[in-house]
Amino acid sequence: MGTASSLVSPSEVIEDAYGGEGGEACEIPVEVKPKARLLRSSFRRGPRVIGASFKSTGSVELEYAAEYERLRKDYEIFRVSKNNEIASMQKKEAKLDEENKRLRAELQALQKTYQKILREKESALEAKYQAMERAATFEHDRDKVKRQFKIFRETKEKEIQDLLRAKRDLESKLQQLQAQGIQIYDPADSDSDDNGATVTTAGTQCEYWSGGVLGSEPSMGSMMQLQQTHRGPEFAHSLIDVEGPFANVSRDDWDAAVASLLQVSPHVSQALWSNTIRCYLIYTQETRAEMQTFIQTHSLRLQRFCEGLGHFYLNVSFPEEKAALYAAERRQEIERSSVCVLLLKSSVSSCVVEDVEEAFVKTPDSRPLLLYLRTGDRKGEKEEVSTLSPSTRDLLERVNKADKSAKLKVVDYAGSVEGGAALIFTQLERIIKQELLGLELEESGEVEEREEEDSGDVLWDLHDEQEQIEAFQHACSAASRFSFQKYVDQLNDMVAAPPPTPPLLVSGAPGSGKSLLLAKWIELQQKHSPNTLILYHFTGHPLSTSTDPVLIIKRLTVKLLQHFWSISGLSMDPSKILEEFPRWLERLSARHHGNIIIIIDSIDQIQNAERHMKWLIDPLPANVRVLVSVNVETCPQAWRLWPTLHLDPLNPREVKSVISTECVNSDIKLTKDQEKKLERHCRSAATCNALYITLLARLITQSRSSWTLERTLQQCALCQDTISLYRLGLKVALDSLSTDQEKHTMKELLCLVCASHNGISESEALELFPDLSFPALTSLLHNLERLLIITYTCGLIRFQHPQACEAVNQEFLDGGKCHGSYREKIIRFFSEQLKQDRVTWRVADELPWLLQQQEDQSKLQMSLLNLFVSQNLYKRGHFSELLTYWQFVGKDKCSMATEYFDSLKEFEKTCESEQSMSRLANLYETLGCFLKDLGLLSQAVAPLQRSLEIRETALDPDHPSVAQSLHQIAGVYVHWRKFGNAEQLYKQAMEICENAYGPEHSTVARELDSLSLLYQKQNKYEQAEKLRKRSVKIRQKTARQKGHMYDFALLKRRALQLEELTLGKDSADCAKTLNELGVLYYLQNNLDAAKMFLTRSLEMRQRVLGPDHTDCAQSLNNLAALHSERKEYESAEELYERALDIRKRALAPDHPSLAYTLKHLAMLYKRRGKLEKAVPLYELALEIREKSFGPKHPSVATALVNLAVLYCQLKQHSDALPLYERALKVYEDSLGRLHPRVGETLKNLAVLSYEEGDFEKAAELYKRAMEIKEAEPSLVCGKAPSRHSSSGDTFSLRSPALPHASR
């Protein structure tokens, strides 16, 4: 055998088909045994032989040589093998290097591709966002175009209706003339071309705003004859016969009556002058002790009581020895007083007689009067009379004679001074509570706890409302000095322009009279167009609450909703308030039959006006106009394109008229030389605006006490603008004061007013200046008011104009650099009240704002953590202001919630009594509602739950306040869509309210509404509808019994005013007034009084106008409606027939009043079962509607359905079917196939088909009707699409839905 070397040569390589990778060649290593082992093995081949031969030794050496050779070959083989392995490994390494390079190159290529894809992705995202922005812009433009088209369509529809109405009027006049035998000249028969000419005038394209100033609305005398909007068909199996005061007078007529009254009689108490209960005390030296005891001992209680209700209380008195020095001030204070108290014993002075004459004799009905008569040790009536002096006895006789209405309250007392003061306090407290504030007293004399008005979540500040009313009244009184007639006419023309119309701009320089013009124009509109709804807002100081955009828009929204019997559904979120206002405006403008005008004065003073007033840019509904005034210098550029009315400076004739009138009133006569000087001075734009001229005239007439007239004119000639003239007025006021102390007080007072947020009240001024007497204060304020420097607004002393504030800044505050020290003084004053637990609305308004202005974050946070301060702000609707303070402190919503909750826990440790626990529960509930409004639902649950626990423990598990807590928690569960939990809580709250108040209380209606909304969210429409109907019945009954939002009180006040006008001789106007009185009492559900006045009106009209006059038909119609209300159907039928007979003979066949009488007589026939007599009336009503509106109008379809219902009741199904089908076609063409009216008509058709035996068709029609019913959006307490907005995200009202609410 050969060795391994014979098998493999050093250069050969064996190819292995198994071990190699990818078929590569590999070398097979050769195993070589160790040398030592080979040597040992060679010596062990056999046993060692002693004495072996030399030959044996030689053979061994040969064997060694052979072995060596073999080993050498093995080694060579091994070496070659390893070299081959190394070479192979080197080849693999090179190959791997190449592979690595290739992979690196691929990796770099992939990275480049990734970067490219990433860039493409970013580009795609950017393109997507741009596309979304373009889509949003397109949506906005499309919505705007839709709204413009809808407004255009509504406008044209209105124009067509107006033309048809004008045509009917002309035809009526034509028939009357022909009936009188007058030959009518036909222009077509003339050969003259002039007779065929058509003349049109500007502004008459849209009759909606024409006529009078803005269009004459129906008077209250015709209130019961207004043409009703189409309310829907009367179904064969669901006849709607509404009982109550709205059966014959439509709900819209009621709203119109209340709206017109609200324009003149706001909700704020008229017995208080500027939110202050001013108690004017008239006393003598003999009764000084009672007066001083009353002021020192009892008046503080009255002050605290009034503060708690948001009013100021002020004792007004002048010392008898100094009263003669303040004659003008006394007359002014008597005029402003809320109640007058006369304290007498035996004698009186001349000043007392003057005051009593002014307050008790000349104007005894202007205010409550109280007479305290101290009789000493009285033994009998004769002795009492004998103690009175002749002058006192004569004075009392005159007071008694003037008290015709027996309103004077007399306290006859013979005891101690303290007892007399206590009696005065008792009577005065009762007068304030009952007569001035309108609170109800229990038998014990305590104020009955008033229920919170069911107004949803809307929190509303009456101080803001009273501020606006007083600003409007002040502007109206100031406007009487100027003649704005040309501007009024221009405004009328601009407002009467055809829609769509952008906001109208009234521009001018500061002090040019923009506010006065707007106030005068509003006054004229309220007089000539009582059915026009006017919403106005006058802004004040730039830093005051009147310039807060959220408060402005919320107030306008609430005022808008108040006129539609609902203020529910309004969000408290500031951003949503601003966003939802145009949607509310669109929805409610569609429901209002008249016009809506929104007026915002000095809109450029509003904080971030351009950003917060974006809704002004969008198209307005056809019956809405917006007027805004701006300073010509600060008007935003985007608004300058709007239609503008610019106020020019006064011309020389107007300047002379204003100054002459003021001089004549003050008995001053200027020389011709002085008049020429004034004329030369008042020639520039800055020196001939309305404010400058008015102030100049006041300075001329008021500076006589300290300066000569010539000196005044010289100094005025040096003033080239209003601010410098105001500074001169401040110097004049200072020089009129006699002592340095009075001058210092005036400076300090004006600086405090300038440094405050909203001003300072008189009572606060007396507390800030302890040495200041009331006569001195009122004299100082009287002079400043005459110089147009200060005014009173909501009980606060404020500057009349921003220029006056700037003048005080420059004159006394070094341009505003010294505000800090005065703010610190006010901060100390209100902080002291806070320590005494006097948390009034004034503390909440001023203290946080002042601390923010001082940038004292720690004290601001401490004041906000006083839970009663935050509660006061939140409850009055200053929601955004509260959030702004917390943002200034540096707290977000969550940390703010934590701070409040921790503070409440600390406060809870101090609460022990039942009253304190009740207040604690209210605080917890307020915090929960606040957090819920912020969207922090999870954090809102804990305080609401704690409020519930406290009320259940401290009060009673069945207490009504527990129901309030349950209601709030249920609201949170609704937001979480935990409908089962919410339903259980709502039902529990309703059960508590029913047990506490009865099943027909407004709180029960609130829970029913909430449950109805909850069921609608769960698509349980039948259950929701049942609850909604029950809620509506409760609210209607409550409205009839108690009135809603003071409406009945306003109607009673209006009725009393009208009664005074009916005391004269018989006349047509007196009969009309009697008719209006009857309508007013009818609306109050006082049917007996209504019958008396309506009967008197009818009798007087028959005597004055004759029995066949149309006004007699009006009275007959109204009396018939009253008898129908009282279910005296026979009398009602007779009266309706008489009214119908008169109107058939006097009016055109298609006159609306005739149609109205026809409709109600037909309804009465149907109610009494006289269906055969009702048929021709319904047919005639249908004919009138076809002539009035055309055959394809929804109102015609309603008349068709009503007639079809009547045929069904007479079993004349063949006659009813074509009427139903025609009505269905009209509804589908005019309102859309998914409108609720279509569904109602389909349902009637289904009933008719069922009675005819066509069950398959009936099922098909009923199914389609139900599909429309389920698809119909909820319009009760839920969301529904707006008429003018394409967005459906708008809240609806708690009132019956409009027929055209969704098209």
Side-chain angles (χ1 to χ4, degrees):
M1 289 181 62
T3 61
S5 61
S6 65
L7 300 176
V8 181
S9 65
S11 59
E12 290 181 347
V13 179
I14 298 176
E15 185 176 350
D16 185 9
Y18 302 97
E21 295 182 2
E24 294 182 0
C26 62
E27 298 175 347
I28 302 176
V30 179
E31 183 180 356
V32 180
K33 295 182 180 180
K35 184 176 180 181
R37 187 175 177 182
L38 293 173
L39 293 174
R40 283 194 300 272
S41 64
S42 63
F43 285 104
R44 292 177 182 171
R45 291 191 177 183
R48 184 176 179 180
V49 181
I50 301 175
S53 64
F54 179 76
K55 183 179 180 181
S56 300
T57 303
S59 62
V60 171
E61 290 176 354
L62 290 172
E63 289 179 4
Y64 280 159
E67 186 68 19
Y68 170 76
E69 187 64 26
R70 186 180 62 79
L71 290 174
R72 188 180 65 78
K73 291 180 179 179
D74 289 344
Y75 169 73
E76 285 295 329
I77 293 169
F78 180 75
R79 184 178 62 79
V80 170
S81 173
K82 291 301 179 184
N83 288 337
N84 291 339
E85 287 183 13
I86 291 172
S88 176
M89 294 295 290
Q90 287 175 348
K91 290 180 181 180
K92 285 185 178 181
E93 182 181 6
K95 190 175 182 179
L96 289 174
D97 286 341
E98 291 178 1
E99 186 71 17
N100 189 22
K101 289 179 181 179
R102 184 180 63 80
L103 292 175
R104 283 181 180 276
E106 291 181 0
L107 179 61
Q108 290 177 357
L110 288 174
Q111 287 177 343
K112 290 180 180 179
T113 306
Y114 169 73
Q115 294 295 334
K116 182 180 179 182
I117 293 174
L118 192 61
R119 287 194 296 270
E120 290 177 354
K121 177 184 176 182
E122 292 175 351
S123 300
L125 286 174
E126 185 177 357
K128 175 186 175 183
Y129 294 144
Q130 290 176 354
M132 291 174 65
E133 289 178 2
R134 288 196 298 271
T137 305
F138 173 76
E139 285 286 331
H140 177 73
D141 294 341
R142 187 189 68 180
D143 293 346
K144 186 178 291 187
V145 171
K146 280 186 176 180
R147 289 196 295 270
Q148 289 175 339
F149 174 72
K150 190 176 288 293
I151 293 169
F152 174 78
R153 184 184 66 188
E154 291 174 354
T155 304
K156 293 304 176 185
E157 288 179 353
K158 182 63 181 177
E159 289 179 17
I160 293 171
Q161 292 180 11
D162 291 336
L163 289 173
L164 289 173
R165 191 178 300 113
K167 177 186 174 184
R168 290 195 304 272
D169 293 340
L170 290 174
E171 289 176 349
S172 175
K173 292 178 181 178
L174 179 64
Q175 291 176 2
Q176 290 178 2
L177 292 173
Q178 289 176 344
Q180 296 173 7
I182 300 175
Q183 183 67 29
I184 306 300
Y185 178 72
D186 188 0
D189 297 335
S190 174
D191 296 331
S192 174
D193 295 334
D194 296 337
N195 291 329
T198 302
V199 181
T200 59
T201 58
T204 59
Q205 297 164 353
C206 177
E207 294 294 318
Y208 199 92
W209 290 85
S210 62
V213 180
L214 272 183
S216 59
E217 298 295 334
S219 67
M220 195 167 295
S222 60
M223 186 68 66
M224 300 181 68
Q225 302 177 62
L226 294 174
Q227 186 176 2
Q228 293 187 351
T229 57
H230 89 276
R231 298 183 175 276
E234 301 168 359
F235 303 120
H237 298 280
S238 60
L239 293 178
I240 304 174
D241 292 325
V242 182
E243 298 297 334
F246 305 121
N248 296 287
V249 178
S250 72
R251 178 68 166 273
D252 297 318
D253 299 345
W254 162 266
D255 290 338
V258 172
S260 64
L261 289 172
L262 289 176
Q263 298 285 352
V264 185
S265 306
H267 294 170
V268 181
S269 174
Q270 298 298 301
L272 307 184
W273 184 86
S274 193
N275 195 41
T276 305
I277 297 174
R278 309 175 79 87
C279 179
Y280 193 92
L281 300 169
I282 308 172
Y283 63 95
T284 64
Q285 291 292 341
E286 298 168 321
T287 55
R288 179 189 292 269
E290 282 91 338
M291 191 273 297
Q292 291 179 341
T293 303
F294 166 74
I295 292 177
Q296 295 170 4
T297 308
H298 301 287
S299 66
L300 188 62
R301 289 175 58 188
L302 292 176
Q303 182 180 352
R304 296 291 184 269
F305 172 76
C306 295
E307 281 180 355
L309 296 176
H311 305 292
F312 297 110
Y313 175 82
L314 189 65
N315 290 313
V316 179
S317 62
F318 293 88
E320 192 174 6
E321 60 274 10
K322 295 183 179 181
L325 301 175
Y326 301 103
E329 287 82 357
R330 282 162 40 216
R331 285 194 299 272
Q332 185 183 59
E333 288 300 330
I334 289 174
E335 183 182 347
R336 293 176 175 178
S337 62
S338 308
V339 56
C340 284
V341 182
L342 174 60
L343 294 85
L344 286 181
K345 185 177 180 183
S346 59
S347 61
V348 291
S349 63
S350 59
C351 292
V352 171
V353 173
E354 290 174 2
D355 287 350
V356 173
E357 284 281 347
E358 191 71 29
F360 285 74
V361 178
K362 292 182 179 179
T363 56
D365 297 328
S366 300
R367 63 195 64 83
L369 303 174
L370 176 62
L371 171 61
Y372 171 78
L373 188 60
R374 185 178 176 191
T375 57
D377 297 330
R378 184 179 62 178
K379 296 181 181 179
E381 193 70 24
K382 293 181 181 180
E383 292 186 12
E384 173 202 347
V385 176
S386 64
T387 60
L388 298 177
S389 64
S391 58
T392 305
R393 188 180 301 108
D394 178 63
L395 183 65
L396 290 177
E397 288 177 357
R398 280 184 286 157
V399 168
N400 188 43
K401 184 178 180 181
D403 184 31
K404 297 178 180 179
S405 56
K407 291 183 178 180
L408 176 66
K409 296 175 177 59
V410 180
V411 176
D412 194 357
Y413 185 67
S416 64
V417 170
E418 291 78 10
L423 277 176
I424 294 172
F425 166 74
T426 302
Q427 290 296 325
L428 201 54
E429 182 183 35
R430 185 175 290 273
I431 289 172
I432 291 173
K433 291 178 179 178
Q434 282 186 314
E435 298 186 35
L436 299 184
L437 301 182
L439 304 177
E440 296 181 4
L441 298 182
E442 297 177 343
E443 293 182 359
S444 61
E446 295 296 324
V447 178
E448 184 179 355
E449 184 179 354
R450 292 183 295 179
E451 303 165 13
E452 294 184 3
E453 189 175 349
D454 180 24
S455 56
D457 296 327
V458 175
L459 305 173
W460 160 257
D461 190 4
L462 278 177
H463 300 111
D464 296 339
E465 178 62 20
Q466 184 161 4
E467 177 183 343
Q468 291 303 313
I469 293 171
E470 292 180 8
F472 169 66
Q473 293 172 346
H474 174 75
C476 286
S477 62
S480 61
R481 306 186 192 102
F482 304 95
S483 175
F484 288 117
Q485 190 57 46
K486 66 175 182 178
Y487 296 122
V488 169
D489 294 339
Q490 291 180 40
L491 269 182
N492 290 336
D493 294 338
M494 294 169 69
V495 169
T501 303
L504 308 177
L505 211 61
V506 178
S507 70
S512 58
K514 301 182 292 294
S515 304
L516 309 187
L517 170 62
L518 291 177
K520 186 167 186 176
W521 193 79
I522 293 171
E523 193 175 30
L524 291 172
Q525 297 314 304
Q526 292 177 346
K527 181 179 180 181
H528 296 295
S529 300
N531 203 37
T532 299
L533 175 57
I534 300 178
L535 307 176
Y536 58 81
H537 185 88
F538 291 85
T539 58
H541 190 274
L543 295 178
S544 65
T545 54
S546 64
T547 60
D548 186 343
V550 177
L551 289 178
I552 292 172
I553 296 301
K554 192 187 73 172
R555 175 183 168 272
L556 292 178
T557 307
V558 173
K559 291 290 289 181
L560 189 66
L561 297 179
Q562 275 185 333
H563 290 78
F564 295 93
W565 285 64
S566 175
I567 50 176
S568 61
L570 181 62
S571 172
M572 284 299 297
D573 189 344
S575 60
K576 288 186 178 179
I577 287 175
L578 296 171
E579 177 186 349
E580 291 173 358
F581 174 70
R583 299 177 184 172
W584 282 117
L585 184 60
E586 290 168 0
R587 287 188 57 78
L588 298 179
S589 65
R591 299 183 57 195
H592 188 61
H593 294 296
N595 314 314
I596 298 177
I597 304 176
I598 299 174
I599 299 173
I600 303 178
D601 177 46
S602 301
I603 193 172
D604 52 322
Q605 297 289 334
I606 297 174
Q607 304 157 18
N608 300 317
E610 272 192 283
R611 181 163 61 90
H612 292 130
M613 298 292 168
K614 287 183 177 179
W615 59 273
L616 291 172
I617 303 174
D618 291 336
L620 298 170
N623 61 333
V624 175
R625 294 290 184 274
V626 176
L627 276 72
V628 297
S629 70
V630 293
N631 186 346
V632 69
E633 300 170 357
T634 59
C635 177
Q637 191 65 33
W639 296 356
R640 295 179 185 269
L641 301 176
W642 295 344
T644 303
L645 173 64
H646 184 76
L647 268 64
D648 299 321
L650 301 180
N651 57 46
R653 182 177 54 81
E654 292 171 329
V655 171
K656 185 177 180 180
S657 173
V658 172
I659 295 177
S660 300
T661 302
E662 196 71 34
C663 290
V664 168
N665 293 337
S666 301
D667 198 17
I668 293 178
K669 188 172 183 180
L670 299 175
T671 64
K672 292 184 178 180
D673 210 22
Q674 292 170 338
E675 289 179 354
K676 287 181 180 179
K677 286 182 180 179
L678 288 174
E679 185 179 350
R680 286 195 300 270
H681 174 63
C682 301
R683 285 183 176 178
S684 66
T687 59
C688 61
N689 65 52
L691 178 58
Y692 186 95
I693 297 302
T694 307
L695 181 56
L696 177 63
R698 290 293 177 87
L699 281 172
I700 293 173
T701 57
Q702 294 297 312
S703 60
R704 290 181 298 170
S705 59
S706 53
W707 292 5
T708 63
L709 181 59
E710 192 62 34
R711 181 189 174 189
T712 302
L713 292 176
Q714 290 176 356
Q715 293 296 322
C716 290
L718 300 176
C719 301
Q720 298 301 319
D721 56 37
T722 307
I723 294 178
S724 60
L725 195 63
Y726 261 123
R727 295 183 69 174
L728 178 63
L730 292 172
K731 294 176 184 177
V732 171
L734 284 173
D735 289 345
S736 66
L737 301 175
S738 55
T739 65
D740 292 339
Q741 179 63 32
E742 290 177 344
K743 295 178 181 180
H744 175 73
T745 301
M746 173 186 151
K747 290 181 181 178
E748 292 289 304
L749 179 61
L750 289 176
C751 290
L752 289 174
V753 173
C754 193
S756 65
H757 187 199
N758 291 314
I760 289 177
S761 70
E762 294 169 273
S763 56
E764 290 166 355
L766 291 172
E767 291 185 54
L768 285 165
F769 301 97
D771 298 332
L772 182 64
S773 66
F774 177 81
L777 174 64
T778 191
S779 177
L780 171 62
L781 296 178
H782 178 74
N783 290 334
L784 292 174
E785 190 177 12
R786 287 284 299 163
L787 289 172
L788 306 181
I789 296 174
I790 62 105
T791 186
Y792 295 90
T793 304
C794 201
L796 300 173
I797 304 167
R798 297 181 181 176
F799 292 108
Q800 279 203 30
H801 301 279
Q803 291 93 326
C805 180
E806 183 59 31
V808 171
N809 262 327
Q810 295 181 12
E811 190 72 19
F812 299 144
L813 289 169
D814 192 18
K817 298 178 182 178
C818 304
H819 276 170
S821 59
Y822 291 100
R823 284 175 180 157
E824 285 294 337
K825 187 173 182 179
I826 306 175
I827 287 172
R828 288 194 297 272
F829 173 75
F830 284 114
S831 298
E832 190 64 30
Q833 290 190 8
L834 206 59
K835 292 178 183 177
Q836 301 171 6
D837 291 333
R838 286 176 60 188
V839 183
T840 62
W841 67 281
R842 287 288 297 143
V843 175
D845 270 358
E846 293 289 333
L847 188 57
W849 183 87
L850 291 167
L851 292 171
Q852 183 190 29
Q853 297 300 311
Q854 294 296 89
E855 298 183 355
D856 194 338
Q857 293 187 354
S858 59
K859 288 185 179 179
L860 174 58
Q861 183 170 348
M862 289 178 61
S863 69
L864 293 175
L865 288 176
N866 185 308
L867 303 166
F868 296 101
V869 172
S870 296
Q871 184 186 45
N872 191 293
L873 285 171
Y874 175 73
K875 285 289 186 184
R876 289 168 44 234
H878 292 233
F879 191 91
S880 58
E881 192 176 345
L882 191 55
L883 289 180
T884 303
Y885 292 145
W886 278 107
Q887 290 170 2
F888 179 80
V889 170
K891 300 286 185 181
D892 59 6
K893 295 179 181 179
C894 296
S895 57
M896 176 195 68
T898 305
E899 294 274 359
Y900 272 133
F901 204 67
D902 293 342
S903 180
L904 267 175
K905 287 181 179 178
E906 291 297 321
F907 178 72
E908 187 172 355
K909 295 177 183 178
T910 64
C911 296
E912 296 179 357
S913 64
E914 180 178 329
Q915 183 180 2
S916 61
M917 292 301 290
S918 178
R919 294 173 68 195
L920 176 65
N922 292 336
L923 289 173
Y924 270 117
E925 183 178 75
T926 302
L927 176 59
C929 295
F930 181 45
L931 298 178
K932 184 175 70 172
D933 290 334
L934 286 174
L936 305 175
L937 300 180
S938 57
Q939 291 174 281
V941 170
L944 290 175
Q945 191 69 39
R946 182 60 184 145
S947 172
L948 175 62
E949 294 171 359
I950 293 172
R951 285 171 172 170
E952 287 181 336
T953 305
L955 300 175
D956 185 73
D958 294 329
H959 195 275
S961 58
V962 174
Q964 176 69 16
S965 294
L966 292 170
H967 178 87
Q968 297 293 348
I969 297 173
V972 177
Y973 282 130
V974 170
H975 281 289
W976 280 341
R977 303 191 67 81
K978 295 183 178 180
F979 297 137
N981 297 346
E983 181 180 357
Q984 182 180 359
L985 293 176
Y986 279 138
K987 287 182 176 179
Q988 188 177 348
M990 184 168 66
E991 183 181 355
I992 293 173
C993 293
E994 286 178 339
N995 293 335
Y997 300 122
E1000 295 183 346
H1001 196 265
S1002 58
T1003 56
V1004 178
R1006 180 192 63 188
E1007 303 303 331
L1008 288 169
D1009 285 335
S1010 301
L1011 272 172
S1012 174
L1013 176 61
L1014 185 66
Y1015 286 144
Q1016 288 172 12
K1017 290 179 179 292
Q1018 301 177 72
N1019 298 327
K1020 300 178 180 178
Y1021 298 110
E1022 292 186 2
Q1023 293 172 277
E1025 186 65 16
K1026 290 179 181 178
L1027 296 178
R1028 187 194 67 80
K1029 288 182 179 179
R1030 183 184 167 194
S1031 171
V1032 169
K1033 288 182 180 178
I1034 293 174
R1035 292 186 185 279
Q1036 285 184 350
K1037 187 170 183 179
T1038 305
R1040 289 198 297 270
Q1041 292 173 348
K1042 298 175 63 177
H1044 194 314
M1045 298 187 300
Y1046 306 101
D1047 290 340
F1048 287 123
L1050 298 174
L1051 293 174
K1052 288 177 181 177
R1053 187 183 308 164
R1054 174 65 175 158
L1056 291 174
Q1057 294 171 357
L1058 292 175
E1059 282 184 21
E1060 296 176 0
L1061 303 176
T1062 62
L1063 304 178
K1065 298 180 180 179
D1066 290 359
S1067 66
D1069 290 338
C1070 186
K1072 179 182 176 182
T1073 304
L1074 287 168
N1075 183 69
E1076 292 183 3
L1077 268 171
V1079 173
L1080 286 171
Y1081 281 116
Y1082 180 90
L1083 292 173
Q1084 298 174 54
N1085 210 29
N1086 188 348
L1087 301 184
D1088 293 333
K1091 182 179 179 181
M1092 179 185 71
F1093 284 109
L1094 290 174
T1095 304
R1096 284 181 58 192
S1097 173
L1098 175 62
E1099 293 171 352
M1100 188 178 294
R1101 282 174 167 173
Q1102 288 175 338
R1103 288 195 301 269
V1104 175
L1105 303 173
D1108 295 332
H1109 197 274
T1110 52
D1111 285 355
C1112 296
Q1114 182 193 53
S1115 297
L1116 289 167
N1117 190 90
N1118 293 344
L1119 272 171
L1122 186 143
H1123 284 290
S1124 179
E1125 176 71 26
R1126 302 175 73 161
K1127 296 183 172 55
E1128 299 170 356
Y1129 298 130
E1130 291 185 4
S1131 301
E1133 181 178 337
E1134 179 187 355
L1135 293 169
Y1136 272 134
E1137 288 175 347
R1138 287 173 60 189
L1140 181 62
D1141 182 57
I1142 294 173
R1143 285 179 168 170
K1144 274 185 176 180
R1145 285 187 277 109
L1147 302 177
D1150 57 347
H1151 196 279
S1153 297
L1154 178 60
Y1156 184 88
T1157 306
L1158 281 170
K1159 173 185 175 182
H1160 284 284
L1161 181 57
M1163 290 174 61
L1164 187 62
Y1165 282 151
K1166 187 170 64 175
R1167 181 177 297 176
R1168 301 193 66 194
K1170 300 179 180 181
L1171 303 181
E1172 292 80 3
K1173 298 181 71 174
V1175 169
L1177 297 182
Y1178 272 114
E1179 290 175 344
L1180 185 55
L1182 172 61
E1183 183 181 347
I1184 291 174
R1185 290 194 182 188
E1186 286 179 333
K1187 290 181 180 179
S1188 300
F1189 304 109
K1192 296 183 179 181
H1193 194 274
S1195 180
V1196 174
T1198 301
L1200 288 167
V1201 171
N1202 288 339
L1203 183 57
V1205 168
L1206 199 59
Y1207 282 147
C1208 286
Q1209 291 178 335
L1210 291 169
K1211 302 302 180 182
Q1212 299 176 9
H1213 296 158
S1214 59
D1215 295 330
L1217 182 59
L1219 298 178
Y1220 275 135
E1221 291 175 344
R1222 182 183 164 196
L1224 179 63
K1225 181 70 168 57
V1226 173
Y1227 277 143
E1228 288 179 338
D1229 292 343
S1230 60
L1231 304 179
R1233 295 178 60 83
L1234 297 179
H1235 195 273
R1237 289 302 169 102
V1238 176
E1240 293 162 355
T1241 310
L1242 286 168
K1243 191 174 180 181
N1244 280 0
L1245 270 171
V1247 173
L1248 182 60
S1249 300
Y1250 182 85
E1251 292 180 352
E1252 289 289 311
D1254 193 349
F1255 303 122
E1256 292 184 2
K1257 184 178 179 181
E1260 181 182 352
L1261 293 170
Y1262 189 80
K1263 180 181 178 183
R1264 186 182 164 197
M1266 288 299 101
E1267 289 173 353
I1268 296 175
K1269 174 76 173 175
E1270 292 173 0
E1272 178 185 350
S1274 170
L1275 293 179
V1276 182
C1277 304
K1279 296 182 178 180
S1282 170
R1283 287 191 65 201
H1284 299 282
S1285 174
S1286 60
S1287 171
D1289 187 20
T1290 179
F1291 293 96
S1292 63
L1293 303 175
R1294 293 185 180 182
S1295 57
L1298 288 173
H1300 299 283
S1302 58
R1303 292 184 178 180

